[in-house]
Amino acid sequence: MTSHSPSAPPPGAHTHAHRLRTARGEFAVVDVPPAAGVTARGVALLLPGYTGSKEDFTLVHEPLAARGYRTVAVDGRGQYESDGPADDESAYEQDELARDVLAQANAIGAPVHLVGHSLGGQIARAAVLLDHSPFRSLTLVSSGPARISVSQEQRVKLLRDALAVMSMAECWEAILAMGPPEEMGGPARGPVGQEHLRRRWLGTSPAQLLATGRQLCTEPDRVAELAAVPLPFHVLSGARDDTWPVPDLDGMALRLAAHRTVVDGAEHSPAADRPAPTARALADFWDGLASAP
């Protein structure tokens, strides 16, 4: 394992980057409390996607703080600044990552609103299926019912093949030579510069990328299982998505009897593409739960 110190937090007087101690180890987080003078309304745990990190939520922290929500964005095991083995893929089995999420929620102070983006949504789903009691609600952001689209699966397989014969640094150079990182299997664009994307890539465990990439390509449809869980659900996405077609996300929302949000002008990463309407949709959903019978 490698040891990291959480990087500098995004702008915001009360933003705190630290290591969250849990029963399953420490995880790097960005932790933002409700804004001064605003009544606290709840806590949300935010899980990033494949090749992502806690910084993917940078632009939604402050608008959610203004609505009274504490938000804790986390690097999962082996992801950017959270420790994890470089060679042991078994450490990143979905069940292991789901148990990490349960431990994170309990360390923050359950119950929490759980939000998972893309791969993070499928890990969030697995956590809820193991034990829904630490959670107040589940929001799946651009995260579909089963395996990813064929075009994205091909990109993930190319990345896995490269990781089998190249170092992380060599893979990064190859990714840059082929095109924009997010189009070639590298970290998605977001509210951070390319130097941060490079550091994030180099800080992530290759075993984590191999194991979770395989999960994305083989994930079964577990929507019926999830629908049986007594939690409020929210399916949020952009208006366009190459990883899971938007009609598939619409259908999943119907099967879950979930609240549905489509963020105009956003694609696979609504929190980065259109942070203001994304934050508003999240807070409106949570506020509605507080006022429901």
Side-chain angles (χ1 to χ4, degrees):
M1 292 189 181
T2 56
S3 180
H4 302 286
S5 296
S7 60
H14 303 290
T15 300
H16 182 36
H18 65 99
R19 300 188 68 80
L20 179 70
R21 293 184 178 181
T22 80
R24 290 177 62 84
E26 296 186 353
F27 297 88
V29 301
V30 169
D31 190 340
V32 182
V38 175
T39 301
R41 298 185 63 85
V43 183
L45 175 61
L46 314 177
L47 312 182
Y50 187 62
T51 72
S53 72
K54 59 191 179 302
E55 287 73 21
D56 294 343
F57 299 102
T58 295
L59 299 179
V60 298
H61 285 297
E62 290 195 23
L64 289 172
R67 294 284 296 268
Y69 290 96
R70 175 189 173 197
T71 48
V72 183
V74 61
D75 287 337
R77 181 190 303 208
Q79 199 172 36
Y80 188 30
E81 294 180 317
S82 288
D83 299 341
D87 303 314
D88 180 10
E89 291 184 43
S90 68
Y92 304 103
E93 291 177 0
Q94 190 183 74
D95 185 72
E96 292 295 313
L97 300 178
R99 293 184 187 281
D100 288 347
V101 174
L102 295 174
Q104 292 157 9
N106 284 313
I108 293 167
V112 302
H113 296 288
L114 183 60
V115 178
H117 173 235
S118 194
L119 170 72
Q122 296 199 331
I123 295 169
R125 178 172 75 176
V128 165
L129 289 172
L130 279 176
D131 180 7
H132 70 272
S133 64
F135 307 112
R136 178 69 183 87
S137 70
L138 171 63
T139 297
L140 301 172
V141 179
S142 304
S143 186
R147 63 198 294 174
I148 55 178
S149 66
V150 172
S151 63
Q152 291 297 320
E153 188 174 327
Q154 290 171 345
R155 289 175 179 169
V156 170
K157 287 181 176 178
L158 281 172
L159 176 58
R160 285 168 45 199
D161 289 346
L163 285 169
V165 295
M166 295 181 182
S167 68
M168 290 292 285
E170 289 169 335
C171 278
W172 179 252
E173 293 303 320
I175 287 167
L176 290 183
M178 290 188 289
E182 69 273 7
E183 296 299 328
M184 304 310 303
R189 68 184 186 277
V192 291
Q194 188 155 300
E195 175 56 27
H196 170 82
L197 295 182
R198 185 187 71 84
R199 291 199 310 272
R200 175 166 72 180
W201 174 264
L202 295 178
T204 298
S205 161
Q208 191 267 1
L209 291 170
L210 289 167
T212 56
R214 187 175 296 108
Q215 290 166 27
L216 286 170
C217 295
T218 59
E219 179 74 4
D221 188 322
R222 305 185 71 186
V223 175
E225 288 178 73
L226 186 62
V229 174
L231 278 182
F233 301 118
H234 183 192
V235 174
L236 186 152
S237 74
R240 179 175 178 273
D241 198 310
D242 292 334
T243 305
W244 285 279
V246 171
D248 288 0
L249 300 173
D250 293 337
M252 181 178 71
L254 287 173
R255 293 167 65 193
L256 290 171
H259 183 72
R260 179 73 172 108
T261 298
V262 177
V263 180
D264 289 339
E267 297 188 13
H268 186 62
S269 301
D273 295 341
R274 296 291 310 281
T278 298
R280 183 166 59 249
L282 290 169
D284 286 349
F285 172 61
W286 299 331
D287 285 355
L289 300 180
S291 61

